[in-house]
């Protein structure tokens, strides 16, 4: 048997791969217009970064990491998410010593050893945006609006925004204690009981129905918020409303890490079954300090490209029309000399800004014309020995079938003229 891609991974092939590129482009367009700069970090980092920056009690660190030892004996991990790397990089290069907030966006592969299924892969792609070093409800609202605009830019109408706040240093401890008291009284397995002690908010995020059923009466953060957190959250909500971004308050929405504070949100799509989250994010005021940096209140999100494309397919937005017209011009050379001339003509056309491809492998006219039809081109340029002798080529309009002889020296200008609309 020939080799297969590893479990939980897949290849992006045309034309779907083009749609993946288009999704990345559309999801990042809004942040690029809002002063966010592009950052690329390594695909692997010291394992310690994720253990500290994502948190030992999380699913990611406890069971989903691709960790390995390199030949120098270092423990490295393929990145499971982007935020920890971005904060590491900002601290390492002192970007936080300049103007704040530091606004960055990224686009890249993430790796998690998960139970592979539709919408849940071991290798997937995220677009992320982070704004570091400012505590301002307008910044939280800005990021949420930019993500919502990204989805809207793709034509998606079924993406819903769920919104919550997690409190801060002031009010979170009181809530945590109340939640622990409630959870300790439930019938839960041993790993979950341990989680209550380390990171009780994570338990609220447990997806098992038998656990969810017991959580119905759990205390909610909203009932424990301090005045400052209440006011902050009210302001975020009112800014979202002013920007025309609809949301649903979800008092049970959590991000289970201790350094997540205040604003928390998730974008969900109902056409995706149980893998409904297409993106999520929130404020992480404590993360920089967890990584040995100064206090750097920050907010960010990560959007899943794979699930966004699935959502588009669910809405019928990713059909054949996006796979249209790979090239504008297709060359059909008939014979050795024609192939040489056609090669140069293609080069000229491309340098003149047209999308052009030609038939390769010495096909006959029938096979080559089939290639022209499949290419999606508007025009075929057919060159045979008689054409060369006459110093011209046949330019065929593939839609109407009309064919005219055009002097070789005028092909580029003629096609440029005809294709400009
Ligand atoms: P879930 O609850 O579905 O596991 P998550 O909370 O682990 O999601 P985040 O870490 O917040 O997800 O990542 C942000 C986005 O990245 C998710 O909303 C989702 O769209 C996407 N994503 C996360 N894990 C995967 C995966 N294994 N395969 C494909 N996309 C993923
Ligand atoms: Mg997950």
């Amino acid at each position: 048997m020939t080799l297969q891609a590893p479990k939980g991974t897949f290849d992006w092939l045309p034309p779907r791969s083009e749609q993946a590129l288009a999704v990345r482009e559309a999801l990042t367009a809004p942040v690029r217009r809002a002063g966010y700069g592009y950052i690329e970090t390594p695909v692997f980092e010291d394992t310690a970064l994720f253990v500290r920056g994502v948190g030992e009690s999380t699913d990611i660190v406890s069971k989903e990491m691709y960790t390995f030892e390199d030949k120098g004996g270092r423990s490295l991990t393929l990145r499971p998410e982007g935020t920890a790397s971005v904060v590491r990089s900002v601290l390492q290069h002192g970007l936080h010593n300049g103007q704040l907030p530091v606004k960055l966006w990224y686009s890249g592969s993430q790796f998690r050893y998960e139970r592979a299924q539709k919408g849940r892969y071991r290798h997937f792609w995220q677009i992320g945006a982070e704004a570091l070093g400012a505590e301002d409800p307008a910044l939280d609202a800005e990021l949420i609006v930019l993500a919502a605009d990204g989805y809207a830019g793709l034509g998606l109408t079924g993406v819903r925004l769920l919104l919550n706040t997690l409190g801060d240093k002031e009010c979170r401890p009181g809530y945590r204690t109340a939640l622990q008291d409630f959870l300790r009284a439930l019938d839960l397995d041993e790993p979950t009981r341990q989680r209550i002690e380390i990171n009780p908010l994570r338990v609220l995020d447990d997806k098992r129905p038998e656990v969810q059923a017991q959580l119905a009466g759990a205390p909610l953060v909203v009932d424990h918020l301090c005045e400052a957190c209440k006011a902050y959250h009210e302001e975020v909500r009112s800014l979202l409303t002013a920007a025309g971004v609809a949301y649903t308050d979800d008092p049970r929405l959590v991000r289970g890490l201790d350094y997540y504070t205040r604003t928390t949100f998730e974008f969900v799509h109902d056409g995706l079954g149980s893998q409904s989250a297409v993106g999520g994010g929130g404020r992480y005021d404590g993360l920089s300090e967890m990584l040995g940096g100064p206090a750097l209140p920050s907010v960010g999100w990560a959007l899943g490209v794979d699930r966004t494309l699935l959502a588009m397919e669910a809405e019928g937005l990713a059909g054949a029309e996006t796979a249209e017209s790979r090239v504008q011009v297709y060359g059909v050379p008939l014979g050795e000399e024609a192939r040489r001339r056609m090669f140069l003509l293609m080069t000229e056309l491309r340098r003149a800004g047209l999308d052009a491809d030609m038939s390769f492998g010495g096909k006959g006219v029938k096979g080559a014309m089939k290639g022209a039809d499949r290419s999606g081109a508007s025009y075929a340029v057919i060159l045979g020995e008689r054409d060369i002798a006459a110093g011209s080529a046949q330019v065929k309009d593939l839609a109407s079938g009309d064919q005219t002889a055009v002097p070789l020296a005028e092909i580029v200008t003629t096609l440029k003229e005809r294709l400009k609309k």
Side-chain angles (χ1 to χ4, degrees):
M1 202 172 71
T2 52
L3 292 172
Q4 310 279 307
K7 183 171 177 175
T9 73
F10 60 90
D11 302 305
W12 284 105
L13 304 173
R16 214 165 165 263
S17 53
E18 301 286 341
Q19 293 168 354
L21 278 180
V23 168
R24 291 177 205 168
E25 190 66 26
L27 290 180
T28 56
V31 284
R32 285 182 279 140
R33 281 195 296 267
Y36 289 73
Y38 177 61
I39 182 170
E40 241 178 65
T41 60
V43 165
F44 55 83
E45 297 265 6
D46 279 341
T47 301
L49 173 67
F50 301 117
V51 173
R52 280 158 74 187
V54 178
E56 243 158 323
S57 70
T58 59
D59 282 351
I60 291 182
V61 172
S62 62
K63 48 191 190 209
E64 296 174 358
M65 293 209 300
Y66 279 94
T67 297
F68 60 98
E69 194 172 287
D70 75 1
K71 295 193 197 308
R74 302 170 193 85
S75 179
L76 299 173
T77 294
L78 298 183
R79 62 182 179 206
E81 58 104 54
T83 306
S85 303
V86 170
V87 177
R88 193 264 311 137
S89 180
V90 166
L91 295 176
Q92 179 178 339
H93 301 287
L95 301 188
H96 59 296
N97 298 322
Q99 169 140 316
L100 298 176
V102 180
K103 290 172 146 193
L104 298 165
W105 71 273
Y106 62 85
S107 170
S109 290
Q110 311 294 342
F111 307 85
R112 296 183 194 176
Y113 189 75
E114 300 216 53
R115 210 158 62 79
Q117 54 200 292
K118 189 171 183 194
R120 190 173 293 287
Y121 311 108
R122 293 181 174 177
H123 171 235
F124 59 100
W125 200 280
Q126 283 182 341
I127 299 295
E130 318 282 353
L132 304 98
E135 194 176 49
D136 183 336
L139 194 56
D140 304 42
E142 171 179 285
L143 272 164
I144 294 173
V145 171
L146 292 172
D149 285 356
Y151 293 124
L154 287 166
L156 284 165
T157 52
V159 176
R160 293 189 296 120
L161 167 62
L162 308 178
L163 185 67
N164 195 19
T165 177
L166 296 178
D168 66 1
K169 285 202 288 282
E170 285 303 308
C171 51
R172 181 82 153 270
Y175 170 65
R176 190 184 144 104
T177 307
L179 181 62
Q180 283 176 321
D181 290 345
F182 172 86
L183 295 173
R184 286 189 193 117
L186 302 181
D187 175 25
L188 298 166
D189 57 47
E190 196 43 42
T192 311
R193 303 200 72 82
Q194 281 169 17
R195 195 170 277 166
I196 296 173
E197 306 312 319
I198 312 166
N199 198 336
L201 266 76
R202 273 279 312 145
V203 180
L204 292 181
D205 203 20
D206 199 310
K207 295 194 170 66
R208 291 171 296 178
E210 66 275 19
V211 176
Q212 278 302 323
Q214 297 189 69
L215 294 174
L220 300 173
V221 197
V222 277
D223 301 321
H224 294 257
L225 293 178
C226 60
E227 288 310 314
C229 282
K230 263 187 212 161
Y232 194 97
H233 196 55
E234 267 321 302
E235 183 62 9
V236 172
R237 295 169 84 237
S238 108
L239 291 170
L240 290 177
T241 304
V245 170
Y247 58 85
T248 307
D249 290 309
D250 182 351
R252 299 178 158 275
L253 182 69
V254 294
R255 314 227 103 208
L257 313 187
D258 282 339
Y259 50 77
Y260 275 108
T261 46
R262 294 193 170 170
T263 314
T264 296
F265 53 91
E266 192 160 86
F267 290 94
V268 294
H269 193 281
D270 297 325
L272 300 182
S274 52
Q275 269 57 253
S276 62
V278 290
R283 209 158 242 292
Y284 50 91
D285 290 347
L287 179 53
S288 169
E289 286 153 298
M290 294 284 291
L291 297 179
L296 204 60
S298 307
V299 54
W301 48 240
L303 314 181
V305 170
D306 309 77
R307 288 189 199 168
T308 301
L309 188 50
L310 291 174
M312 291 182 68
E313 285 168 348
E315 288 194 28
L317 292 168
E321 77 281 1
T322 43
E324 77 193 5
S325 179
R326 276 204 319 114
V327 292
Q328 300 169 293
V329 182
Y330 194 86
V332 176
L334 304 169
E336 279 296 300
E337 176 59 16
R339 190 194 51 189
R340 201 167 295 126
R341 300 265 187 132
M342 191 60 82
F343 168 81
L344 291 174
L345 182 59
M346 290 294 122
T347 303
E348 271 185 70
L349 285 167
R350 292 172 193 144
R351 287 182 179 157
L354 298 181
D355 299 348
D357 188 13
M358 65 182 264
S359 164
F360 289 98
K363 290 191 192 64
V365 68
K366 236 174 111 188
M369 286 311 291
K370 204 182 266 172
D373 285 334
R374 285 205 186 125
S375 75
S378 309
Y379 292 97
V381 177
I382 305 157
L383 192 63
E385 270 161 38
R386 234 178 302 155
D387 300 306
I388 296 173
S392 60
Q394 306 296 320
V395 173
K396 181 172 183 179
D397 181 328
L398 289 167
S400 68
D402 291 346
Q403 187 168 313
T404 46
V406 176
L408 282 171
E410 292 168 25
I411 299 267
V412 175
T413 42
T414 303
L415 284 171
K416 265 198 103 155
E417 192 55 38
R418 290 209 203 168
L419 282 161
K420 117 172 150 220
K421 253 170 226 134

